[in-house]
Amino acid sequence: MRIRIKFQFKEKLNVPLHHQELLHGMIYHCIGDDEFRDRLHNIGFPYEKRQFRMFCFSKLTGAHQFENGRIVFTSPVSFIFSSFHDRLVSELATTLLAKKELYIGQNRVTMAGIEVVDEKISSAMHIRMITPVTMYSTLIENNRKKTYYYSPTEEKFSELIANNACKKYEAIYGNPAPETNLELTPLDSRSLRPKTVLFKGTIIKGWMGDFRLTGHPELLRIVHQAGIGAKCSNGMGLFSVVRHLSE
């Protein structure tokens, strides 16, 4: 399920360029059930040594200007929150609507509304990244761990994206993913744009652009709602459907 959350405020809203961490903190803070929140944060949906949270979100959008390396918004602003877990969306929406005031960093805001984003998916789609898609491997080089981020033009990229989707499926259902897999390929590699996100002191490298996404309907539903690729709950992997394609 996907929702757009809208805030209003009296003066300016001043946040860092990389403010995903602020929204991430607010999301967890606004999960009313303590046990549910702690389980999501500490355990999530486990798969072997991995833990999936099954949600993703966008940055803030609205009228803004840049000042001293920060973004200064004028009211209102909004962001998209998407999750495969309907209870998580319900918990978040209920708490947000009940609160008289909220904080995004040091900025006090009030709710201006929540709307459901109803977007149809199909087995073959032209998609556009709202937040960067990332895929990586952890390598050992000179006895030290090194993170290698793949480019969408590398063959390994789509393979790892598909593997990630299958792991999310198994973490949710406890069964192996369907044999009909998933494929993500750039529609035009020349239009791809590298994008770096700083989250809790860690640099995450991803890509913006338009892609062709095909695969099994259930895998597509998972990546549409929970995010495609890695680091989705850190503000990566959210996309919108531009149009439906013939396979």
Side-chain angles (χ1 to χ4, degrees), residues 4-13 23 26 30 60 74-79 93 95-114:
R4 185 182 301 276
I5 302 167
K6 190 175 182 179
F7 302 106
Q8 58 191 8
F9 42 93
K10 291 182 179 179
E11 298 179 359
K12 303 291 185 181
L13 190 153
L23 295 177
M26 188 192 69
C30 290
L60 293 170
T74 55
S75 186
V77 296
S78 66
F79 79 101
T95 303
L96 284 170
L97 291 171
K99 284 185 174 290
K100 293 183 178 179
E101 63 179 23
L102 299 150
Y103 283 87
I104 300 176
Q106 300 299 315
N107 304 275
R108 185 169 66 179
V109 300
T110 57
M111 286 297 301
I114 295 176

Side-chain angles (χ1 to χ4, degrees), residues 13-23 58-60 64-73 195-199:
L13 190 153
N14 189 313
V15 294
L17 292 176
H18 301 280
H19 54 268
Q20 291 90 336
E21 184 177 342
L22 298 182
L23 295 177
S58 72
K59 295 177 70 174
L60 293 170
H64 66 277
Q65 58 188 21
F66 298 100
E67 294 182 7
N68 301 318
R70 295 172 67 87
I71 309 178
V72 180
F73 289 96
K195 191 78 171 178
T196 299
V197 171
L198 181 64
F199 186 87

Side-chain angles (χ1 to χ4, degrees), residues 5-205:
I5 302 167
K6 190 175 182 179
F7 302 106
Q8 58 191 8
F9 42 93
K10 291 182 179 179
E11 298 179 359
K12 303 291 185 181
L13 190 153
N14 189 313
V15 294
L17 292 176
H18 301 280
H19 54 268
Q20 291 90 336
E21 184 177 342
L22 298 182
L23 295 177
H24 182 270
M26 188 192 69
I27 289 166
Y28 274 104
H29 181 71
C30 290
I31 299 174
D33 187 315
D34 292 345
E35 183 179 348
F36 178 68
R37 180 184 63 244
D38 291 344
R39 179 173 178 81
L40 178 68
H41 183 269
N42 298 323
I43 301 174
F45 292 77
Y47 174 85
E48 295 179 351
K49 295 182 179 180
R50 293 174 180 252
Q51 296 172 330
F52 296 107
R53 270 71 192 188
M54 300 302 177
F55 72 83
C56 57
F57 59 94
S58 72
K59 295 177 70 174
L60 293 170
T61 60
H64 66 277
Q65 58 188 21
F66 298 100
E67 294 182 7
N68 301 318
R70 295 172 67 87
I71 309 178
V72 180
F73 289 96
T74 55
S75 186
V77 296
S78 66
F79 79 101
I80 294 172
F81 178 81
S82 184
S83 176
F84 187 83
H85 203 316
D86 285 348
R87 183 185 171 187
L88 174 55
V89 179
S90 177
E91 284 274 345
L92 179 61
T94 300
T95 303
L96 284 170
L97 291 171
K99 284 185 174 290
K100 293 183 178 179
E101 63 179 23
L102 299 150
Y103 283 87
I104 300 176
Q106 300 299 315
N107 304 275
R108 185 169 66 179
V109 300
T110 57
M111 286 297 301
I114 295 176
E115 63 181 35
V116 175
V117 179
D118 187 16
E119 190 171 59
K120 305 299 182 184
I121 62 172
S122 63
S123 57
M125 298 174 285
H126 169 184
I127 68 166
R128 179 168 296 148
M129 299 311 303
I130 298 173
T131 62
V133 56
T134 186
M135 204 66 248
Y136 65 93
S137 291
T138 302
L139 311 173
I140 303 297
E141 189 174 280
N142 297 325
N143 294 321
R144 297 182 63 181
K145 287 185 178 180
K146 177 184 177 181
T147 302
Y148 178 82
Y149 289 93
Y150 293 92
S151 164
T153 58
E154 295 180 77
E155 186 176 340
K156 192 78 172 176
F157 181 86
S158 183
E159 178 186 333
L160 291 175
I161 288 284
N163 289 344
N164 179 274
C166 290
K167 290 172 184 176
K168 287 173 180 171
Y169 180 99
E170 192 164 341
I172 292 169
Y173 296 112
N175 299 312
E179 290 184 7
T180 307
N181 222 312
L182 178 146
E183 186 175 0
L184 181 71
T185 53
L187 281 173
D188 182 356
S189 59
R190 295 171 298 179
S191 66
L192 293 173
R193 305 186 310 279
K195 191 78 171 178
T196 299
V197 171
L198 181 64
F199 186 87
K200 295 186 177 181
T202 299
I203 293 175
I204 306 171
K205 298 177 182 179

